Amino acid sequence: MQIIIFTSKTMWERAANLKSRWWLCALFLVGMFIVTPLDKFPAQFVSFSVIFPAVFFLTDWNNSSAKKGIVSVTARSDSRKQIETAEWLLPSLAGMVISSLAVFLVSAPPPWQFWVVTPLIAISFSLVFVITEQHLRNAGRTALSLLWLTQLTGSLQKGPVTDLLLFTGYPASVLLYDSNTGSNHSDTYVLASLITVFLTAGIYTLLHRRNF
């Protein structure tokens, strides 16, 4: 547990001291404001707050001197597992907390499905970002950015099936649900979030076992 806390503290200090992270946050917010329809911006901002902590903490973390220093200092056999736990747990918790505060600017109170979908997507995206940083990096970042932009603009959202593929927008979809629009019911996103977290956790575990 101490290693998880120490790793999380190191991740925060590293990211907070990088000006590029704060510029990246500003760039994302400005870009989101430009491309998102005004009526959907508040809900999309909540979705953004769920997934951005992973980008904030994990970008370039895998090969950083900070991580290598922790690995070299911690000599216990279970230290690597605790470091890996902190890598996805910290951004997941941060996404849950920030979005839980931000949602009351949009919906008071939000539907109950939001409280199920949000933690599942926060965990899923953190795991996905860990995987991309370790195995795909630039290609993975590009794919996730395109997925996010597609979700914001709604350029490919032509039906319920397509909406379900854009998992980064599940929290916003729950908040924007309107029975008169023919969109997926909020309960659908609960099930989809469960499937997403099982898939991402399974892929993460499989890749982890193949590397050791």
Side-chain angles (χ1 to χ4, degrees):
M1 187 63 181
Q2 290 181 340
I3 296 176
I4 293 177
I5 295 174
F6 178 71
T7 302
S8 299
K9 179 174 178 291
T10 302
M11 291 174 67
W12 161 251
E13 291 176 345
R14 173 183 175 274
N17 289 328
L18 291 173
K19 291 183 179 180
S20 60
R21 294 296 177 272
W22 299 106
W23 281 110
L24 184 64
C25 181
L27 178 63
F28 271 66
L29 286 172
V30 171
M32 183 171 61
F33 183 78
I34 292 173
V35 304
T36 306
L38 189 60
D39 60 328
K40 296 182 179 180
F41 180 83
Q44 291 293 356
F45 175 76
V46 175
S47 272
F48 169 81
S49 67
V50 175
I51 66 176
F52 184 75
V55 180
F56 185 80
F57 289 115
L58 295 174
T59 301
D60 293 327
W61 162 257
N62 188 56
N63 295 317
S64 67
S65 58
K67 178 179 178 178
K68 292 177 181 177
I70 296 175
V71 172
S72 63
V73 169
T74 55
R76 294 189 302 175
S77 59
D78 64 340
S79 63
R80 190 174 188 91
K81 291 182 178 179
Q82 293 188 53
I83 294 171
E84 291 170 348
T85 299
E87 288 176 343
W88 63 263
L89 183 61
L90 174 62
S92 297
L93 292 176
M96 294 176 204
V97 172
I98 297 172
S99 61
S100 295
L101 297 175
V103 72
F104 286 101
L105 300 175
V106 178
S107 175
W112 69 266
Q113 292 92 341
F114 176 84
W115 303 111
V116 180
V117 168
T118 295
L120 295 177
I121 294 303
I123 294 171
S124 297
F125 189 81
S126 296
L127 290 173
V128 168
F129 209 81
V130 168
I131 292 170
T132 57
E133 286 293 293
Q134 293 179 349
H135 301 280
L136 298 173
R137 200 170 181 183
N138 291 331
R141 294 176 186 177
T142 301
L144 290 173
S145 297
L146 290 175
L147 178 70
W148 183 64
L149 287 172
T150 300
Q151 163 214 317
L152 292 181
T153 60
S155 58
L156 294 180
Q157 295 189 41
K158 298 179 180 179
V161 175
T162 305
D163 290 347
L164 290 176
L165 297 177
L166 306 176
F167 75 98
T168 55
Y170 285 4
S173 297
V174 170
L175 295 174
L176 292 169
Y177 170 69
D178 184 351
S179 59
N180 297 320
T181 62
S183 59
N184 290 310
H185 191 277
S186 298
D187 290 350
T188 305
Y189 292 104
V190 173
L191 177 60
S193 298
L194 285 169
I195 295 173
T196 301
V197 77
F198 278 122
L199 286 175
T200 53
I203 294 171
Y204 175 84
T205 302
L206 177 63
L207 292 174
H208 176 75
R209 288 178 178 176
R210 288 183 61 183
N211 290 334
F212 293 96

